[in-house]
Amino acid sequence: EVQLVESGGGLVQAGGSLRLSCAASGFTFDDYAIGWFRQAPGKEREGVSCISRSDGSTYYQDSVKGRFTISSDNAKNTVYLQINILKPEDTAVYYCAAAPIPCLLIDDIVEYDYWGQGTQVTVSS
């Protein structure tokens, strides 16, 4: 059974940090790119970061560059998203997803085959 399980969300004050985790199982993790998305109430889901498992290359949405860091632990089949200097506008449900092609080739959300259930991040001002 394919599973992506996010964890690490919570309620934090502005300026704080969180590390989100995405644990994968049931598929060949090394063959997939893992993306992080977020969806705030009333807004569309947006991609914030991606890591290609094949070469370790990483990509970030411009608005999160410098505050978000994506990384991967090969031994644990887990991808992390470190979020620093949290802002109220970061409040959203954060999802991870897996795509069978490198991040560079992903130009549509439909490229992602598997999705996690999401983890809530709430930032208070």
Side-chain angles (χ1 to χ4, degrees), residues 53-68:
R53 300 282 293 117
S54 57
D55 62 5
S57 57
T58 58
Y59 297 88
Y60 298 93
Q61 185 196 88
D62 286 346
S63 68
V64 305
K65 285 180 180 177
R67 296 193 301 121
F68 287 28

Side-chain angles (χ1 to χ4, degrees), residues 81-112:
L81 186 69
Q82 178 71 38
I83 309 174
N84 297 326
I85 316 175
L86 278 156
K87 305 176 180 181
E89 52 263 43
D90 293 321
T91 294
V93 178
Y94 283 71
Y95 301 88
C96 64
I101 55 178
C103 299
L104 181 64
L105 301 180
I106 299 171
D107 59 8
D108 196 292
I109 196 170
V110 299
E111 302 282 7
Y112 288 89

Side-chain angles (χ1 to χ4, degrees), residues 2 4-5 10 16-17 22 25-26 31 55 58 62 66-67 71 74 77 85-86 88 96 107 110-111 113 125:
V2 172
L4 290 172
V5 180
S17 298
C22 172
S25 62
D31 293 341
D55 62 5
T58 58
D62 286 346
R67 296 193 301 121
S71 62
N74 298 349
N77 278 6
I85 316 175
L86 278 156
C96 64
D107 59 8
V110 299
E111 302 282 7
D113 290 341
S125 57

Side-chain angles (χ1 to χ4, degrees), residues 1-5 23-29 32 97-98 113-116:
E1 179 187 5
V2 172
Q3 278 195 317
L4 290 172
V5 180
S25 62
F27 62 99
T28 306
F29 193 55
Y32 281 75
D113 290 341
Y114 308 123
W115 289 85

Side-chain angles (χ1 to χ4, degrees), residues 1 7 15 18 38 40 82 124:
E1 179 187 5
S7 61
L18 281 175
R38 65 185 179 184
Q82 178 71 38
S124 63

